[in-house]
Amino acid sequence: MTTSLWLADRHRPAESDFGQPSADVVVVGAGITGLVTAVLLARAGKDVLVLEARTAGAVTTGNTTGKISLLQSTMLSKIVARHGADIARDYVRGNREGQDWVLRYCEANGVLVQQEDAYTYAQSAKEVPSARAELTAGRLAGLDVDWDDDAGVPFPYHGGVRLADQAQFNPMPLLDSLIAELNNRGGRIGEGARVRSVSQQRGRVRLRVHSGQGEVDVDAGQCVLATGIPILDRGGFFARLKPSRSYSFAFEVPGDIPRPMFISAGSPTRSVRYAPVDGGERLIVAGADHTVGRKSPTAELKELSSWAQTHFPGAVQTHEWSAQDYTPIDRLPYVGPILPGNEKIFVATGFNKWGLTAGVAAALLLSSRILGGRMDWARAFAAWSPHEVTGITTAMQANLEVGFHMTKGWLMPIARSGASVPSEGGLVSGPPWHLQAQCAVDGVQHRVSPVCPHLGGIVNWNDADKSWECPLHGSRFAPDGTLLEGPATRGLTASS
């Protein structure tokens, strides 16, 4: 994958020196959820330190499609079916507060936002019932949605749900502004600082951090894990979330690009928006979703690119990128204490691709909780709640799949023993007592252990991203084994 449209040509220097290894609150993760949480706490006078393993926005926020919408594909119909209209209304209320906060902040700080209508549409006749169900669920949840039989678009369209006055943007200027405010309020950020472990000792939180300063122990009163998926196994969130990877293309097109944002009600996913750039606009098309580590989506990406070029003649690709998101077993985010009754370590995860609103709602909820307040809609975001029983069947199925891929990962490489590394690509081969992951990228070969340091799964090669991916819980690694994203906290070890 190349760099996303949002991260391309950025030259902001990383802030690696985070000063004193202590704070009232340490926030782990400098995406939109972590940075909004940090700013809200700093505004209240808390001493806040943000620790980011890579650079701000490098993982999910900087690789989104940039939609700030309350109409989220078929999310509401799934929530209503599992939890009823009351919980769906609370979910919408939380997302609305998140959306409102982002839009107010962007207006106050000169961050460009385009306010456009959003559509969940049927790309074929068989998707019409799903789109209609979202219309009904949206109205039950309090959204002023309507049905549009003809949106005037150049791609297959069989009617869709429309929600007016939603928004889209490039998320990186927002993160830059949040970092500037955090620094101005006495907060700090340490980039290139990977948290290896978190423990509690005598009422305090101790974080073991690997950074340019070496291994450092950071002391905190409280800690917020805003890392996509929690990097701690406490609470078993890795078993309550399904990691999904999706892909985006940006195109320069000679004709007009539709103004509204679109996302299909069925599969294959087709997500469409325009994006202003210097000297013009780009078309962004996204889709090709798959569970992390269980396939290499070469054919799906070719189909997605072909779809865009067919319906937007003359489109020329300029960027290609991917992002990782986590679907909770009961379709609702997990925001709150890592274990019931623990008011020292908090998590925010499970936004299912809609973190630009739900992630900000999580930041509002967590900062309020840390400061002694509450949100009336919090039950729709609870990390621990009776409503999760609706996801038990899904959880059982997901963990049966994990067990299958654990076994498959250890046994299948035997058949590849002695196989040569492709000129470009990767494979895992050998007997279980001597597995090796070998790859070649741009003529450079790498050899590492394929055993994921999280729970011992065997990684697979993703040709599209040129990375090793664990099919159990979504940890990803660069060709040389360097950790890209967790729940693992260490990279793959070198192999002889």
Side-chain angles (χ1 to χ4, degrees), residues 296-318:
S296 194
T298 306
E300 289 82 357
L301 289 178
K302 184 176 180 180
E303 179 191 24
L304 182 64
S305 179
S306 176
W307 182 90
Q309 292 169 325
T310 296
H311 299 296
F312 295 87
V316 176
Q317 182 183 320
T318 61

Side-chain angles (χ1 to χ4, degrees), residues 95 123 152 159 186 199 234 276 288 360 451 457:
N95 277 261
Q123 57 187 331
S199 60
R234 274 163 274 172
V360 179
V451 182

Side-chain angles (χ1 to χ4, degrees), residues 131-379:
R132 286 283 186 182
E134 191 66 13
L135 174 70
T136 300
R139 288 172 173 168
L140 286 172
L143 293 180
D144 188 15
V145 289
D146 58 26
W147 185 262
D148 191 342
D149 283 314
D150 183 6
V153 292
F155 46 82
Y157 178 92
H158 289 252
V161 188
R162 183 181 70 93
L163 180 61
D165 299 324
Q166 300 308 287
Q168 60 178 30
F169 70 163
N170 172 350
M172 296 313 295
L174 170 63
L175 296 197
D176 291 344
S177 185
L178 289 168
I179 291 170
E181 179 176 351
L182 178 66
N183 288 331
N184 290 338
R185 293 183 180 276
R188 293 158 288 147
I189 180 170
E191 295 173 285
R194 184 172 294 282
V195 175
R196 301 284 200 198
S197 63
V198 183
S199 60
Q200 289 181 240
Q201 301 176 14
R202 296 184 294 276
R204 302 286 292 179
V205 180
R206 179 69 58 87
L207 300 93
R208 188 68 171 169
V209 181
H210 178 78
S211 71
Q213 303 173 41
E215 294 284 337
V216 179
D217 285 332
V218 175
D219 177 74
Q222 292 169 297
C223 173
V224 173
L225 300 177
T227 53
I229 187 170
I231 56 172
L232 301 184
D233 289 345
R234 274 163 274 172
F237 290 96
F238 65 86
R240 301 160 64 190
L241 297 160
K242 192 166 188 176
S244 174
R245 200 138 193 96
S246 56
Y247 300 80
S248 298
F249 294 102
F251 296 92
E252 185 174 358
V253 298
D256 293 333
I257 304 172
R259 297 297 89 182
M261 300 170 281
F262 291 86
I263 188 166
S264 59
S267 182
T269 300
R270 297 290 184 254
S271 172
V272 178
R273 63 159 285 196
Y274 75 91
V277 296
D278 289 341
E281 292 181 347
R282 294 287 183 271
L283 165 71
I284 297 177
V285 175
D289 314 44
H290 67 93
T291 303
V292 178
R294 300 184 188 178
K295 70 181 301 182
S296 194
T298 306
E300 289 82 357
L301 289 178
K302 184 176 180 180
E303 179 191 24
L304 182 64
S305 179
S306 176
W307 182 90
Q309 292 169 325
T310 296
H311 299 296
F312 295 87
V316 176
Q317 182 183 320
T318 61
H319 298 78
E320 179 181 356
W321 69 96
S322 61
Q324 191 151 310
D325 298 276
Y326 301 89
T327 302
I329 59 171
D330 68 345
R331 297 289 174 174
L332 293 170
Y334 301 131
V335 182
I338 194 165
L339 288 171
N342 186 321
E343 295 295 321
K344 293 295 182 179
I345 302 174
F346 301 91
V347 299
T349 186
F351 304 130
N352 201 15
K353 304 181 183 180
W354 298 98
L356 296 182
T357 53
V360 179
L364 294 168
L365 194 159
L366 288 178
S367 58
S368 175
R369 183 167 186 151
I370 289 170
L371 296 171
R374 61 186 297 273
M375 295 293 186
D376 292 339
W377 40 263
R379 62 176 179 163

Side-chain angles (χ1 to χ4, degrees), residues 82-103:
R82 286 178 179 263
H83 306 289
D86 286 346
I87 290 290
R89 278 190 287 271
D90 281 344
Y91 177 80
V92 167
R93 289 173 64 199
N95 277 261
R96 192 187 301 278
E97 288 202 28
Q99 181 191 63
D100 288 346
W101 193 95
V102 169
L103 296 181

Side-chain angles (χ1 to χ4, degrees), residues 416-422 424-430 434-441 444-450 459 461 468 479 495-496:
R416 308 187 199 108
S417 295
S420 59
V421 183
E424 283 289 318
L427 61 83
V428 176
S429 62
H434 190 57
L435 292 179
Q436 289 189 334
Q438 303 174 78
C439 68
V441 178
V444 179
Q445 293 194 356
H446 302 277
R447 181 179 298 171
V448 296
S449 166
V459 299
W461 180 254
W468 299 108
S495 178
S496 58

